[in-house]
Amino acid sequence: MADLNHNATGFAAVMSPAETAAIDAGLRSYMLRVYAYMGGGLVLGGIAALGLRAASVTDDIAQASYVMRAGRVIPIPAGLAVQGRDILLTDLGHAVLVSPLKWAIIFAPLALVVSLSFGAARLRPATAQVLFWLYATLIGLSLASLLLFYGHVSVARAAVPAEDRTTIKRVFER
């Protein structure tokens, strides 16, 4: 069994307070970059979800091809009277949110993670960063269907609860 004695005697004697402060500053800088990338990924995913929703749903019956009413999606018949809870879908909206293509969009982030797990150690940093941004975009696209049923404000509030928002503010105020 491994020796689990984590007593750091001697560690402080080897490093001066200035060296310890430099390490702490470097670690803080590194973690702030990590948080910035993660925050950027959240923003990119949100923009992708809102963009897909904006391209998929319309309020104009002349631009709509399908209507989602009471959980059913039907082509728009002539003379349709739009009711308050109807969701009018464009051709793109029907293709990515209702047709079998929706399953490819939903499982694309999982497929990317599984494929990356086999070769992540061999990736260059620039390639890993591009794949991270791709992953963030795919997550946003896969969650875009939530915006059909819930408003964008309620989804944003669910994604970042109030206590997390204050924590994020505290981290970046230092």
Side-chain angles (χ1 to χ4, degrees), residues 20-81:
T20 305
I23 289 174
D24 288 345
L27 180 60
R28 177 172 163 58
S29 172
Y30 174 77
M31 291 308 295
L32 283 175
R33 279 186 282 144
V34 169
Y35 293 144
Y37 278 123
M38 296 308 288
L42 282 172
V43 168
L44 181 62
I47 290 171
L50 285 173
L52 183 59
R53 187 199 188 280
S56 300
V57 177
T58 183
D59 291 331
D60 185 13
I61 197 164
Q63 294 178 350
S65 301
Y66 296 87
V67 63
M68 185 180 291
R69 179 180 287 171
R72 292 182 35 222
V73 177
I74 57 171
I76 294 191
L80 175 74

Side-chain angles (χ1 to χ4, degrees), residues 141-152:
L141 295 177
S142 69
L143 295 176
S145 61
L146 291 176
L147 294 174
L148 284 177
F149 304 106
Y150 303 103
H152 60 279

Side-chain angles (χ1 to χ4, degrees), residues 85-146:
R85 297 194 57 131
D86 286 350
I87 299 172
L88 301 174
L89 297 174
T90 62
D91 285 330
L92 175 69
H94 183 265
V96 298
L97 299 172
V98 180
S99 75
L101 179 61
K102 74 178 177 183
W103 296 111
I105 293 171
I106 288 171
F107 289 116
L110 178 64
L112 181 64
V113 167
V114 169
S115 63
L116 282 177
S117 67
F118 294 113
R122 295 185 302 260
L123 290 177
R124 293 186 179 140
T127 306
Q129 187 176 12
V130 168
L131 290 174
F132 169 74
W133 296 121
L134 175 66
Y135 176 75
T137 304
L138 289 173
I139 287 289
L141 295 177
S142 69
L143 295 176
S145 61
L146 291 176

Side-chain angles (χ1 to χ4, degrees), residues 147 150-158:
L147 294 174
Y150 303 103
H152 60 279
V153 173
S154 62
V155 171
R157 283 188 181 155

